[in-house]
Amino acid sequence: MHALITGASAGIGEALAREFHKRGYRLTLVARRKERLLDLSEQLGGDALVLAGDLQNPTSAQGCVIEAEDQRGPVDVLVNNAGVQIIAPAESTDPEAGERLLDLNVATPLRLIRHVLPGMKERKRGTIVNVASMAALSPVPGMLYYNASKGGLANASEALRGELWGTGVNVVTVYPGPVHTDMGERGIAKYKPSLSATLAPWGTATELAERVVRTVELGGARVIYPRAYAVSLLLPNLSRWFSLKFAPELES
């Protein structure tokens, strides 16, 4: 089984690469930082295909998938993990940076899905994994473009799962809450210390990756992690109210 993972050089993407490798998948690792990918591939035995690409450019990102298919065969599991955050007041957010975020977080995943989907449907098997965020269910103030991107990706992902029902192609939507990664730690540092931030449950990239791969193999629909955040799916209005009411303030 061939799994292609974007944003595999660190954090959740790296943990997913390690977990898929542990389960015996052939890997293609895609990210901007080739040196990090090569180091990870070496740690995994040196048999992963490493492709450095500009994932903010959907056309360039699609080229990486084409190259992966040429070298390793059809993609059985596409993991759209690459993403960035911008945490700042809406009025001071650079719109060009925000639009680049939308390309990376939404346009590129949709382009890659569009590329692999015909083959998956023809083979009557395959899995698409879209790493969204709890921000898609309970948006947090101070992340205008990030909230928009993850909400868009999550809604597209959930709808696609319904569209593909009965085709043999599965779609898994992943909703991580706070996870101890470099991006997660940098993000929380943008907010003032608060009781809500202190009490918020955090998880690890390793445990999240284990749950994602298990869900892929079981044909499940979604992963919400840490589990405490599952209430956001069951009681979305209450969750949004709580998120907005008790959101920490941005650092000035």
Side-chain angles (χ1 to χ4, degrees):
M1 295 287 281
H2 179 195
L4 184 147
I5 305 167
T6 68
S9 60
I12 292 170
E14 178 183 344
L16 285 166
R18 293 183 185 280
E19 187 62 23
F20 275 110
H21 177 265
K22 187 189 302 182
R23 303 288 184 104
Y25 288 73
R26 292 176 291 113
L27 297 180
T28 295
L29 309 178
V30 185
R32 178 174 48 84
R33 296 175 290 184
K34 188 172 184 178
E35 297 78 9
R36 294 285 295 268
L37 293 177
L38 289 170
D39 181 58
L40 175 58
S41 176
E42 185 177 347
Q43 293 177 40
L44 298 178
D47 59 350
L49 175 61
V50 167
L51 298 175
D54 178 11
L55 294 173
Q56 287 188 335
N57 182 326
T59 303
S60 174
Q62 181 176 332
C64 290
V65 180
I66 293 171
E67 185 175 350
E69 291 173 328
D70 287 343
Q71 295 196 42
R72 291 292 176 93
V75 173
D76 299 295
V77 181
L78 170 66
V79 182
N80 285 311
N81 167 74
V84 294
Q85 280 183 326
I86 296 175
I87 302 177
E91 70 274 13
S92 63
T93 300
D94 176 10
E96 292 188 0
E99 288 158 15
R100 289 193 297 270
L101 179 153
L102 292 173
D103 280 340
L104 176 60
N105 290 12
V106 185
T108 286
L110 297 185
R111 176 69 69 94
L112 301 189
I113 290 168
R114 174 62 184 83
H115 178 81
V116 303
L117 193 52
M120 287 184 174
K121 289 183 71 175
E122 183 178 353
R123 297 188 300 274
K124 294 184 172 57
R125 63 180 176 84
T127 304
I128 296 164
V129 179
N130 295 311
V131 180
S133 167
M134 280 305 303
L137 301 174
S138 299
V140 177
M143 297 193 293
L144 180 68
Y145 284 91
Y146 185 78
N147 290 327
S149 71
K150 292 304 187 180
L153 180 60
N155 276 284
S157 185
E158 295 280 7
L160 183 62
R161 178 179 171 81
E163 180 180 334
L164 296 176
W165 186 263
T167 66
V169 182
N170 189 35
V171 181
V172 179
T173 310
V174 183
Y175 297 91
V179 173
H180 288 293
T181 62
D182 288 345
M183 189 169 83
E185 301 292 349
R186 288 195 306 269
I188 198 65
K190 296 279 188 179
Y191 291 94
K192 294 180 180 178
S194 68
L195 182 61
S196 60
T198 300
L199 295 177
W202 282 66
T204 68
T206 299
E207 186 174 2
L208 173 59
E210 290 170 355
R211 295 189 183 197
V212 169
V213 177
R214 186 163 62 246
T215 301
V216 168
E217 297 189 334
L218 291 175
R222 63 192 59 84
V223 176
I224 299 178
Y225 176 79
R227 285 183 178 175
Y229 295 104
V231 67
S232 295
L233 194 63
L234 300 172
L235 301 169
N237 290 335
L238 177 62
S239 177
R240 289 193 185 100
W241 174 85
F242 188 89
S243 178
L244 297 175
K245 179 74 173 176
F246 296 103
E249 295 181 32
L250 287 168
E251 290 280 8
S252 54

